[in-house]
Amino acid sequence: MGDMGGDQVSQAVAGSAALLRSVSGRDWKGVDAGRLDWSCRRTAEHICLDLIMYAGRLAARATGYVPFEIVVPDGTDNAGVVDVLETTGALLTAAIRTAPREVRAFHPSPFRSANREGFAAMGVAEVLLHTHDIAEGLGVPYEPPAELCEGVLTRIFPHVRPGLDPWRTLLWATGRGELPGRAPVTGWTWSNNLVIGAGRVTLQGVTPAAAADLRAGGTGGFDWIEGGPFEGTRDAAGMVLKAYEAGVHRPEWGLFVLVRTEDGRAVGGMGFHGNPDEEGRAEIGYDLAPAARGQGYATEALRALSERALARDDVKALFATVDRVNTPSQGVVSRAGFTRVSEEHGEDADQYAYELRG
């Protein structure tokens, strides 16, 4: 699963511009764009607005909506709109390339923010999907590179089971096509990774793309301290990827990387072994790079993650197991409010079982 950044935005815009220039002499105003209620002309202008809006939010580190519009002057021909598309694409590309990894800016769906990778994925998605709409309206073929589609799916559609054809899967996931064996999509949203503040660290949700990289021995896009990521984090990344491939992954019940707020360095991983069961119980686990242990990071993160999970109506209790010989980890769960429970809850000869109820 490849990168997602300024290069990918530039590639998507270049492909869109090439297609749109080839049909710029056609009537865009009098033809609807695919299944949309917009004309092809309005749809092209909408792409430009999205690109500059994303660039502005990311560049300004916006914490809410930035109220502005982009206006294409009357009399501008379709080729001029393509010029605007290329310009706004270049602005988003520049904003992504110059934004530090830790920077996040406002986006409403669903966790209220996105990082540079998220804005890149959203920008690419807007370009690919709306170029498709215009092409469909004008009756011309359009199919973007599969790697761009896969990059979008593995970053902002973590809840969508991957298919053999990333482009067809993306079209289906956004209500623009059909896939054998899957019900039509009538409502959809994408999902940027969830970030939870926890004092000296933040818990940053791991996307399927990052999980694949971690499982393969990479960094997942994080700047790790020496000794990280530890083996438990790589194993958990494999669990995320398995759930994603099965179509049952939910970002809030996946893996989070613990990142120090003071320097942006990743120190460990924490997360759930899956979605809550029918009784509203979810199992939680964690590990830290050796150099980060004994400093309270895990306790702070576990408190924050537990508090968020137990605030939900569908969660009644959290569960954790700790090796009997791992006294420091027993201290972590105890300080976070967990208490020892009986064997029927998972305790055995090698591990203690702990529970925290809402």
Side-chain angles (χ1 to χ4, degrees):
M1 298 181 186
D3 294 335
M4 180 56 67
D7 289 349
Q8 286 66 44
V9 172
S10 181
Q11 182 183 4
V13 169
S16 173
L19 175 78
L20 296 181
R21 285 199 188 282
S22 72
V23 292
S24 62
R26 302 270 297 274
D27 176 17
W28 288 12
K29 292 184 178 180
V31 179
D32 285 344
R35 305 183 187 190
L36 303 181
D37 293 330
W38 297 344
S39 70
C40 291
R41 173 66 176 242
R42 181 180 176 189
T43 302
E45 293 178 358
H46 174 80
I47 300 173
C48 301
L49 171 61
D50 283 337
L51 294 176
I52 196 170
M53 177 175 63
Y54 293 161
R57 288 182 189 171
L58 186 58
R61 284 57 163 167
T63 58
Y65 282 106
V66 180
F68 71 95
E69 294 281 349
I70 184 171
V71 176
V72 179
D74 291 339
T76 302
D77 60 12
N78 294 335
V81 176
V82 180
D83 291 340
V84 179
L85 169 66
E86 292 177 318
T87 301
T88 54
L91 290 172
L92 178 57
T93 296
I96 292 167
R97 287 174 174 167
T98 57
R101 203 200 73 82
E102 289 302 300
V103 164
R104 298 187 74 85
F106 173 76
H107 188 76
S109 176
F111 302 123
R112 312 298 291 178
S113 72
N115 60 10
R116 65 187 184 189
E117 190 175 58
F119 277 104
M122 292 188 293
V124 170
E126 293 285 355
V127 172
L128 302 188
L129 294 170
H130 287 315
T131 301
H132 161 80
D133 297 332
I134 297 170
E136 187 174 55
L138 296 175
V140 295
Y142 170 71
E143 182 161 348
E147 61 269 19
L148 286 181
C149 305
E150 183 182 31
V152 169
L153 288 167
T154 56
R155 286 168 175 84
I156 58 175
F157 288 90
H159 50 289
V160 172
R161 176 166 57 91
L164 296 177
D165 186 327
W167 178 226
R168 308 298 166 211
T169 302
L170 181 58
L171 290 176
W172 169 82
T174 57
R176 289 172 166 84
E178 298 179 356
L179 280 182
R182 303 198 198 187
V185 172
T186 57
W188 62 274
T189 184
W190 52 46
S191 178
N192 283 287
N193 69 321
L194 172 61
V195 172
I196 303 169
R200 295 176 297 155
V201 295
T202 59
L203 293 92
Q204 300 188 14
V206 172
T207 65
D213 188 57
L214 283 167
R215 191 186 68 168
T219 66
F222 295 92
D223 181 15
W224 289 88
I225 64 170
E226 183 179 356
F230 206 60
E231 58 187 26
T233 298
R234 296 199 187 279
D235 292 342
M239 294 170 62
V240 168
L241 200 58
K242 184 177 180 180
Y244 170 66
E245 291 169 347
V248 297
H249 175 57
R250 299 295 176 266
E252 58 268 47
W253 301 110
L255 170 65
F256 298 83
V257 167
L258 277 55
V259 178
R260 285 194 306 222
T261 55
E262 66 177 4
D263 60 4
R265 304 291 300 280
V267 299
M270 180 175 292
F272 299 95
H273 292 195
N275 303 329
D277 62 21
E278 295 179 353
E279 298 178 355
R281 298 176 77 242
E283 184 173 358
I284 198 166
Y286 53 87
D287 73 0
L288 293 180
R293 296 173 185 171
Q295 301 177 51
Y297 296 135
T299 299
E300 293 177 19
L302 185 56
R303 285 172 178 162
L305 188 59
S306 300
E307 181 180 357
R308 188 182 191 281
L310 290 171
R312 296 172 57 103
D313 293 337
D314 58 345
V315 179
K316 305 303 179 185
L318 300 178
F319 172 70
T321 58
V322 181
D323 291 343
R324 291 178 180 248
V325 297
N326 192 344
T327 303
S329 188
Q330 295 165 26
V332 169
V333 292
S334 297
R335 288 190 295 273
F338 287 69
T339 57
R340 284 267 308 276
V341 291
S342 62
E343 293 183 7
E344 66 185 39
H345 289 86
E347 192 166 291
D348 58 28
D350 298 320
Q351 294 183 317
Y352 291 126
Y354 290 83
E355 187 180 62
L356 178 63
R357 301 194 67 83

